[in-house]
Amino acid sequence: MNIPIRTTVVGSYPFPGWLEFASQNMDKFGKADIEEMIEDAVIAAIHDQVTAGLDVITDGEQTRLDFNLSFYGFIKGIENNDTETRKFGPAAHDQRGKNNIVGELVAPNGLGAVAEYLRLKKLAPAGPALKASVPGPFTLSGRLLPNEKYKDRYAITEALLPIISKELEALVAAGCTEITVDEPSMSCYAYKEDTKRFVDIFNRTVKPIVGKCNLSTHLCFGNFKGRPVGYRSIKPMLPDFLDLTINEIHIEMANREFAEIELLQPFSEKLNVAVGIIDGKIYYIETVVDVVERINRCLKYIPAEKLSVAPDCGLSQTARWASRLKLINMVKGAKKIRQQLGV
């Protein structure tokens, strides 16, 4: 069902405080304790999203240390490198973990996304659509250090591409009908890299599942500790990103005060567009009036039947109390506009 002004999320949701504590004391828990803990955390994420009234929910990525760092635990041929990261000073992306490549990059047991989806399916109530999010190969390559075999980031990307394609196929086979392939590194570096090459990489990655699910990509400018990392402009993405073989594109907008909103129109002529209208990087709680005004601005460039609204990014870097309030008001604002439009 195509819901006008659909309310959705990118993927991640803040951990409950007790899960943060438990994750730092894993030696005190047994396997059964950990599985119970994971289910409880997913139930909490589902509760907040369902209570807010979202049309599309996720498991909140409660089993992931980070939106993509945890995937490296499933990949063979790498080992953690803690010498390349900055330890002190203001929080920034150069403090995120990196890995050395010490063998062939393979993931014989997949990347864990199917198990996450099946857990979500088991625990979620009937009603909302269930979304799974997986990082794309270019973004996932960013924390792996080149070596003699994989000489640069693009070589690493090509090695990861079939691994991610296989995971996407497995998600579809498991019954997942909503899949987001996160490629924020592509939007961050569109200003200085070959955007046609980006599109080719992306399209080859998703080719096995095109037409088999509602396929989207999330593009933003970084959100580690609430801080962007890339050049924050949509302009370098055009026109090449219009050739992405997806149903929906999700673009960060609220944090940029809706700069370049007019550039959403060419996307809407080819795709559905999910607009980030909630800013997860600030603790101002957007009011229903704010949300209504922002949606009306979007409707000047995107038809209601092609528009979804969401937070700019995943909410893992935003406190749970704020995330909950932001989602509640986002849904209230969307419903108000639907009523006004009679849809």
Side-chain angles (χ1 to χ4, degrees), residues 10 92 129 131 193 201 214 227 240 249 252 306 310:
V10 176
K131 178 192 280 191
E193 298 286 342
I201 289 167
N214 187 44
R227 294 170 185 261
D240 292 335
I249 193 161
E252 176 182 0
K306 301 188 80 172

Side-chain angles (χ1 to χ4, degrees), residues 207-246:
K207 186 176 180 180
I209 64 165
V210 170
K212 299 178 182 178
C213 63
N214 187 44
L215 176 61
S216 59
T217 190
H218 166 60
L219 303 173
C220 72
F221 303 102
N223 187 27
F224 177 67
K225 306 298 185 186
R227 294 170 185 261
V229 65
Y231 176 61
R232 300 194 302 161
S233 176
I234 296 171
K235 209 167 289 183
M237 304 180 208
L238 291 167
D240 292 335
F241 279 29
L242 296 173
D243 293 327
L244 294 169
T245 50
I246 50 176

Side-chain angles (χ1 to χ4, degrees), residues 159-311:
L160 295 174
L161 193 155
I163 296 172
I164 292 167
S165 287
K166 187 176 179 181
E167 192 77 2
L168 297 175
E169 287 185 275
L171 276 169
V172 169
C176 187
T177 59
E178 292 269 347
I179 298 177
T180 294
V181 178
D182 293 308
E183 274 290 9
S185 289
M186 289 188 177
S187 43
C188 284
Y189 303 127
Y191 76 98
K192 66 176 183 178
E193 298 286 342
D194 183 347
T195 49
K196 284 184 169 58
R197 189 174 191 180
F198 280 165
V199 170
D200 172 65
I201 289 167
F202 186 95
N203 288 349
R204 284 188 288 119
T205 304
V206 302
K207 186 176 180 180
I209 64 165
V210 170
K212 299 178 182 178
C213 63
N214 187 44
L215 176 61
S216 59
T217 190
H218 166 60
L219 303 173
C220 72
F221 303 102
N223 187 27
F224 177 67
K225 306 298 185 186
R227 294 170 185 261
V229 65
Y231 176 61
R232 300 194 302 161
S233 176
I234 296 171
K235 209 167 289 183
M237 304 180 208
L238 291 167
D240 292 335
F241 279 29
L242 296 173
D243 293 327
L244 294 169
T245 50
I246 50 176
N247 304 103
E248 181 179 85
I249 193 161
H250 178 284
I251 298 180
E252 176 182 0
M253 269 284 151
N255 184 248
R256 300 171 58 249
E257 306 296 335
F258 288 80
E260 303 179 314
I261 188 173
E262 70 281 358
L263 297 183
L264 297 181
Q265 185 164 337
F267 285 108
S268 74
E269 291 168 358
K270 296 190 71 173
L271 306 164
N272 292 335
V273 182
V275 181
I277 64 164
I278 296 295
D279 187 353
K281 299 183 178 76
I282 61 171
Y283 280 88
Y284 168 72
I285 305 301
E286 293 85 351
T287 67
V288 175
V289 172
D290 292 330
V291 172
V292 167
E293 188 272 335
R294 293 174 186 187
I295 292 175
N296 279 326
R297 290 174 70 179
C298 294
L299 288 172
K300 294 176 183 177
Y301 304 97
I302 309 162
E305 64 275 13
K306 301 188 80 172
L307 175 64
S308 293
V309 293

